């Protein structure tokens, strides 16, 4: 049995307000199209892939296919003015001995293998399968701004892709639609027009279609990073934690002001965006950073995040110090970080702990800090 997949990616992104094709927009660090392409390319049940693209996108599509389709045989074909025409071109490009075909919209990056398997299993019994989810809103049919009728919600399904068909059946339906001049917004509708039964399996509410910029916001990215730092306690240095000077007989040694807490926070931020560590960004042999306030370095790291259009969601910081007692300064440290990062103090948590007298922290030889930071776009 041979299964082919068509990914329709020839839209222009008009409703997205995008310059080019919306499936090329970046989502979680790769083009939107790459998400579903990668999923189908790695399913052993899939024998062949066809990506339908606009002619202006052919070069970039080839790059995406080369990077994300693995070694699955994949063709790129030029689409038509309408989605239906594009899918038809895709059908024509599939091997003629294809038994089953899955037709998917490139703008649905969150399709899962569970959905695909449900459709594939059902198509072998029913020949034509749609994927749908129960509608949550009440749907009304409207005419000239007045309600004509309320549709019975339990009977309604919001349709998603992929839709699955016996190859000959859907190819025949497209050819018949062409002859009759029928245009439909999905492939199941062509079979409905011909009076053929279409079976429905359940989709997933997460399998959304990215249509408007708001959808891209809903489908936003979330990153987590971890940071850890240690500095030695020495005489004749101020003790600065989260930019707050804490009166104590010793302070932390280092090239900068040795604010171990802020260093851990910065490393967590860099970790979340995959940009190395603070040693790479602010080398301790660089005279520019000698004695610098770590808050200035934090400001630079925040600028890096901004460039990636990311903002801090929350910070959780633990400072490990045998002495001094840090609880009287926690509120001030929290306020300082919140102000600099530009988020509510409630999104920042600072914990202080001793080391029960154990190890270098317990012997008061140094102070350590660990931080977890989450970012979102
Ligand atoms: Mg450090």
């Amino acid at each position: 049995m041979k299964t082919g997949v068509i990914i329709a990616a020839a839209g222009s992104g008009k409703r997205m307000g995008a310059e080019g094709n919306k499936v090329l927009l970046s989502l979680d660090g790769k083009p939107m199209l790459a998400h579903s392409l990668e999923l189908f390319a790695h399913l052993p049940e899939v024998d062949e892939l066809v990506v339908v693209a606009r002619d202006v996108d052919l070069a970039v599509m080839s790059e995406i296919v080369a990077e994300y389709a693995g070694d699955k045989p994949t063709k790129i074909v030029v689409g038509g003015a309408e989605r239906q025409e594009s899918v038809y071109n895709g059908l024509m490009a599939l091997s003629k001995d294809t038994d089953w075909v899955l037709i998917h919209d490139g703008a649905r990056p969150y399709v899962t293998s569970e959905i695909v398997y449900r459709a594939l299993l059902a198509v072998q019994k029913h020949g034509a399968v749609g994927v749908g989810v129960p509608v949550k809103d009440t749907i009304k049919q409207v005419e000239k701004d007045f309600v004509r009728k309320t549709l019975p919600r339990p009977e309604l399904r919001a349709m998603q892709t992929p839709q699955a068909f016996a190859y000959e059946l859907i190819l025949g339906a497209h050819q018949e639609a062409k002859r009759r001049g029928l245009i439909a917004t999905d492939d199941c509708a062509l079979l409905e027009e011909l009076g053929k039964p279409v079976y429905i399996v359940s989709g997933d509410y997460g399998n959304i279609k990215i249509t408007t910029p708001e959808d891209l916001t809903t489908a936003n990215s979330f990153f987590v990073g971890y940071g850890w730092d240690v500095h030695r306690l020495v005489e004749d240095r101020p003790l600065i934690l989260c930019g707050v000077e804490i009166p104590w007989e010793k302070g932390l040694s280092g090239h900068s002001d040795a604010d171990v807490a802020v260093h851990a926070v910065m490393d967590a931020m860099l970790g979340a965006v995959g940009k190395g560590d603070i040693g790479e960004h602010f080398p301790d042999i660089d005279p520019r950073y000698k004695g610098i306030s770590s808050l200035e370095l934090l400001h630079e790291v925040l600028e890096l995040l901004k460039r990636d259009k990311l903002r801090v969601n929350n910070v959780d910081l633990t400072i490990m110090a045998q002495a001094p007692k840090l609880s009287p300064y926690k509120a001030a440290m929290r306020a300082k970080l919140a102000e600099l990062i530009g988020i509510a103090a409630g999104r920042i948590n600072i914990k202080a702990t001793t080391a029960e007298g154990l190890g270098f922290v317990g012997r008061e030889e140094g102070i350590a800090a660990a931080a977890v930071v989450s970012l979102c776009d």
Side-chain angles (χ1 to χ4, degrees), residues 229-231 263 278:
D229 197 22
V230 175
H231 279 260
H263 291 187
I278 52 172

Side-chain angles (χ1 to χ4, degrees), residues 233-314:
L233 275 166
V234 293
E235 316 236 317
D236 300 323
R237 285 269 296 186
L239 175 58
I240 294 164
L241 293 171
C242 296
V244 175
E245 188 164 343
I246 293 162
W248 186 236
E249 60 208 34
K250 291 193 225 172
L252 295 170
S253 77
H255 185 64
S256 64
D257 65 357
D259 190 332
V260 66
V262 170
H263 291 187
V265 168
M266 288 193 285
D267 263 347
M269 289 173 174
L270 291 171
V273 287
K275 286 195 161 64
D277 59 37
I278 52 172
E280 292 168 37
H281 292 267
F282 316 112
D284 63 6
I285 48 164
D286 191 329
R288 272 185 301 162
Y289 303 123
K290 186 159 174 50
I292 196 172
S293 163
S294 295
L295 297 183
E296 282 185 49
L297 305 180
L298 176 59
H299 179 75
E300 285 191 37
V301 171
L302 290 166
E303 287 299 310
L304 265 177
L305 305 187
K306 255 188 226 166
R307 244 172 279 157
D308 277 5
K309 298 192 166 56
L310 292 168
R311 59 190 168 80
V312 176
N313 181 59
N314 80 309

